[in-house]
Amino acid sequence: MSVTVDGDKSGLVPVRMRRILRGPRPEKVPALVGTACTLIGLIDIAAGVFPRFRASRMHAVAEVLPGTLGPLSAALSLSAGVLLLLLAHGLKRHKRRAWRAAVVLLPLGAAAQFVWRHSVLGALLSLVLLTLLVRHRGEFAALPDPRSRWRALANFVVMGAGSIALGLVIVSAHPRRVVGSPSLADRLEHVLYGLLGIEGPVAYTKGVDWTVGYSLGALGMLTALTTIYLAFRPEHPAARLTDDDETRLRALLDQHGGRDSLGHFALRRDKGVVFSPSGKAAVCYRVVSGVMLASGDPIGDVEAWPGAIERFMDEAKAHSWTPAVMGCSETGGQVWTRETGLDALELGDEAVVDVADFSLSGRAMRNVRQMVKRIERNGYTTQVRRVRDLDDDELERVRRAAADWRGTDTERGFSMALGRIGAPGDGDAVIATAHKDDDTSPYGDLKAIIHFVPWGTDGMSLELMRRDRSADPGMNELLIVAALQASPTLGIARVSLNFAMFRAALARGEKIGAGPVLRIWRGLLVFLSRWFQIESLYKFNAKFRPRWEPRFVVYRTSRDLPRIGFAAMQAEGFVNLTLPRPFTRRRPTPAPRPCAHIVPAQTAEREIHAA
């Protein structure tokens, strides 16, 4: 079946046929070399640690890198194995610096084979692998990933822990040569001293002391050298939105911002951007764990989307990043798959309320209507205004309250969160606030906040929901209803609410006649909802009787989906791998209170959850 997108008459070519037309897959040498380095590294480590392994039939295989006989050869074998393990992943990702390091290491390994062990076979195998790397050097041209000097501390922690663990194995690998019966504490002390090049309390017979000492010293030296290298190498910061980028994006949004409800979120300042050659379209992204994540549809003229997408794919190829798109529309998914050969998978649905069709009357809206009226009887009032209509003092109070009510130290959101309120240029954003007199609150009568960002000239998209935990349940419903009722006076015709992950599966799975597979899938989603807001967001959105717009994830192969999902969870703030900040006081998480409405577990801002 052929599909035409905004005037394009080429249609969608089936993925399998498209791959045939594009020719053979890219060269697999980097993957093979990386796998070979991993296997050789493991063999080399085993050859340097376990005496029986060095005398086994695997002895000839272990000759691939520096020798395995004698104290110095054992240390060299262990060092080479660890270094190859560190380089293997970079070689698989076509990294130029990993290639350079391997090209330096392999000749040294070949020389060590011949000098220390007189092994011609081991030297030849090392040189064969070196020849393979040199012959295919064009495959290893990827630029470095974003990095900072925090990587040095992370390396010290990981390498230090790995060296201690491997050191305990080394110390315990010679049970018949140990003098006495040293305890685990003695062995751990011996490892710690050995990493520093100092003799420890454990003694051996027949020269094993030298083998263990050289091996532990090599591990300590590797930990120190890699940490020093990472600490003093130049930083390569992640791409950030510049003032010029933001100006150009705002100009595109002024012309084409009504196409996608997620368009304004492209203005997050922790994203990078690539523009089409004509400058009429752009793709915003963030790199997380080697995944180049775009969010929503490209910004700008649909006719110029292919140029921006091509620049995006070129950038991903230049750095060997895994390309992915989170939360694009059906039109965006069609263009992405047509232009790149990537695949698309439905991720969930976005709840969109047409203001003209919204009403609190009728049986379907009974629960929302009763909740809103009850809260109003309790003395709560609401205000819905453009951000530009708030004075400076009130805007600052809203910002401080939103930060304090967040509930976590991590600001969550990527695809559907802006991460700021009231910044210059965001005056068209809408803020709905709930108020009730309270002399004890540091924010006066302010009790809840909902922030919407512009969606073209006649729409708005929900960005965050925050409330005072002491406020009555139902604040979110109250403010959404207030915003919908005030929308006509603000010129708003459509409102985008939260994104509901796997909504179609949840909706079909609870109907009569659903099959066993669908029911099992729905049961799994309900179970996962204990930690991720899957079912709760769907039910909360459904209260307002929206129309559902499907959203998709675009990916290269199914093997990439777990990696993309993990990267998306990092980007959204659900997985935090950054080092903790010293001296940062953690805000206590308030105890949950039972209520009939949805209050997201730790934050009320809108979220996309990774598959």
Side-chain angles (χ1 to χ4, degrees):
M1 183 179 70
S2 178
V3 180
T4 301
V5 180
D6 288 346
D8 181 88
K9 296 183 173 53
S10 62
L12 283 175
V13 181
V15 173
R16 187 173 300 174
M17 179 62 67
R18 183 167 59 244
R19 288 172 178 167
I20 293 175
L21 294 176
R22 286 174 181 261
R25 292 183 179 180
E27 184 62 53
K28 296 182 179 180
V29 170
L32 294 175
V33 169
T35 301
C37 284
T38 300
L39 295 176
I40 292 171
L42 292 174
I43 293 174
D44 239 24
I45 291 174
V49 172
F50 302 107
R52 293 183 179 180
F53 183 87
R54 298 198 296 271
S56 68
R57 294 181 180 179
M58 294 296 293
H59 178 73
V61 181
E63 291 178 348
V64 173
L65 282 174
T68 58
L69 300 177
L72 184 58
S73 61
L76 289 174
S77 177
L78 186 63
S79 301
V82 172
L83 288 174
L84 284 176
L85 289 181
L86 294 176
L87 294 174
H89 182 64
L91 291 173
K92 287 183 179 181
R93 296 186 58 208
H94 306 245
K95 291 299 182 181
R96 168 63 65 178
R97 292 191 174 183
W99 178 87
R100 290 173 179 170
V103 167
V104 172
L105 176 65
L106 288 173
L108 294 177
Q113 289 280 9
F114 185 77
V115 172
W116 294 108
R117 303 186 59 253
H118 308 291
S119 172
V120 177
L121 177 61
L124 286 177
L125 289 175
S126 296
L127 293 177
V128 167
L129 186 56
L130 174 64
T131 303
L132 187 64
L133 284 172
V134 173
R135 180 179 179 182
H136 296 277
R137 58 185 177 276
E139 296 292 329
F140 302 90
L143 301 175
D145 290 340
R147 60 174 183 254
S148 69
R149 290 191 173 90
W150 281 111
R151 183 76 178 273
L153 182 56
N155 177 84
F156 178 76
V157 173
V158 174
M159 283 287 292
S163 297
I164 292 173
L166 188 56
L168 286 174
V169 175
I170 294 173
V171 171
S172 305
H174 310 270
R176 297 181 181 179
R177 306 291 178 87
V178 178
V179 177
S181 300
S183 64
L184 179 61
D186 292 333
R187 296 182 183 186
L188 180 60
E189 182 181 356
H190 191 86
V191 170
L192 295 176
Y193 278 123
L195 294 177
L196 298 175
I198 304 173
E199 185 176 356
V202 180
Y204 299 88
T205 60
K206 296 185 179 179
V208 176
D209 298 76
W210 291 98
T211 302
V212 173
Y214 273 52
S215 299
L216 293 177
L219 288 176
M221 182 182 64
L222 285 179
T223 302
L225 291 179
T226 55
T227 302
I228 292 172
Y229 167 73
L230 294 174
F232 288 97
R233 69 175 179 175
E235 292 191 38
H236 186 69
R240 291 290 185 267
L241 209 64
T242 65
D243 293 339
D244 180 63
D245 293 336
E246 184 174 346
T247 300
R248 296 175 66 183
L249 285 174
R250 287 187 183 277
L252 294 177
L253 289 172
D254 289 341
Q255 298 179 35
H256 307 281
R259 180 176 297 279
D260 185 17
S261 64
L262 307 187
H264 200 84
F265 299 114
L267 298 176
R268 283 182 65 102
R269 296 194 178 107
D270 57 357
K271 291 183 178 180
V273 61
V274 289
F275 290 90
S276 65
S278 65
K280 295 181 178 180
V283 175
C284 294
Y285 67 92
R286 187 195 299 174
V287 178
V288 183
S289 297
V291 178
M292 191 176 182
L293 278 176
S295 58
D297 292 344
I299 307 299
D301 188 355
V302 174
E303 297 297 330
W305 282 8
I309 291 174
E310 183 178 2
R311 288 282 180 86
F312 176 88
M313 297 300 293
D314 289 343
E315 189 77 5
K317 182 179 180 180
H319 294 83
S320 190
W321 291 330
T322 300
V325 185
M326 297 297 297
C328 65
S329 68
E330 187 170 4
T331 299
Q334 290 174 342
V335 178
W336 273 101
T337 55
R338 184 191 66 201
E339 296 296 329
T340 64
L342 302 178
D343 292 328
L345 178 68
E346 185 171 337
L347 190 62
D349 295 272
E350 177 188 11
V352 178
V353 178
D354 294 314
V355 174
D357 299 332
F358 177 76
S359 174
L360 281 178
S361 61
R363 185 175 182 83
M365 299 297 294
R366 178 182 177 184
N367 291 336
V368 176
R369 182 173 64 249
Q370 289 178 344
M371 179 174 289
V372 169
K373 291 186 178 299
R374 175 179 57 79
I375 296 173
E376 291 175 342
R377 287 195 300 269
N378 289 341
Y380 287 88
T381 60
T382 60
Q383 289 183 296
V384 182
R385 294 161 290 175
R386 298 281 185 181
V387 167
R388 60 173 174 264
D389 296 330
L390 276 68
D391 58 48
D392 293 340
D393 292 339
E394 188 172 9
L395 182 58
E396 181 60 27
R397 183 158 58 101
V398 167
R399 288 171 176 164
R400 289 190 292 107
D404 188 55
W405 295 340
R406 185 170 63 217
T408 62
D409 291 330
T410 301
E411 181 76 37
R412 289 186 176 175
F414 165 67
S415 301
M416 298 181 176
L418 189 62
R420 63 180 186 265
I421 299 176
D426 294 337
D428 287 337
V430 175
I431 285 186
T433 53
H435 304 267
K436 184 181 181 181
D437 292 336
D438 186 354
D439 297 334
T440 63
S441 173
Y443 309 108
D445 62 350
L446 187 61
K447 289 298 179 182
I449 303 164
I450 289 186
H451 184 226
F452 298 87
V453 298
W455 174 12
T457 58
D458 63 346
M460 60 184 185
S461 186
L462 180 61
E463 195 263 333
L464 67 80
M465 300 185 291
R466 302 276 170 81
R467 71 176 182 89
D468 188 338
R469 299 296 174 172
S470 65
D472 292 353
M475 290 291 104
N476 294 332
E477 287 89 339
L478 172 69
L479 289 181
I480 287 179
V481 169
L484 291 171
Q485 291 176 338
S487 290
T489 62
L490 297 172
I492 302 298
R494 50 188 180 164
V495 178
S496 170
L497 300 179
N498 284 308
F499 172 85
M501 186 82 166
F502 301 126
R503 181 208 64 89
L506 290 169
R508 291 196 297 263
E510 63 185 359
K511 290 183 178 179
I512 297 177
V517 175
L518 189 57
R519 289 184 179 273
I520 292 173
W521 175 227
R522 181 183 180 277
L524 176 61
L525 294 176
V526 172
F527 175 74
L528 293 176
S529 295
R530 299 180 181 182
W531 297 277
F532 305 102
Q533 296 169 23
I534 300 176
E535 185 185 28
S536 56
L537 278 177
Y538 158 56
K539 290 186 174 180
F540 176 74
N541 294 329
K543 292 180 180 181
F544 304 97
R545 316 298 294 176
R547 56 182 169 88
W548 299 100
E549 297 288 343
R551 290 280 174 174
F552 299 83
V553 55
V554 177
Y555 59 97
R556 186 166 52 191
T557 66
S558 57
R559 295 189 302 273
D560 292 335
L561 283 175
R563 185 179 181 186
I564 293 171
F566 185 73
M569 294 182 70
Q570 287 181 261
E572 296 291 346
F574 293 100
V575 176
N576 187 10
L577 299 181
T578 59
L579 294 173
R581 296 180 181 178
F583 313 117
T584 297
R585 187 179 66 180
R586 296 179 60 86
R587 185 181 294 107
T589 302
R593 31 183 314 178
C595 54
H597 74 297
I598 177 175
V599 176
Q602 308 225 337
T603 178
E605 60 198 88
R606 63 188 304 162
E607 302 153 345
I608 282 184
H609 305 289

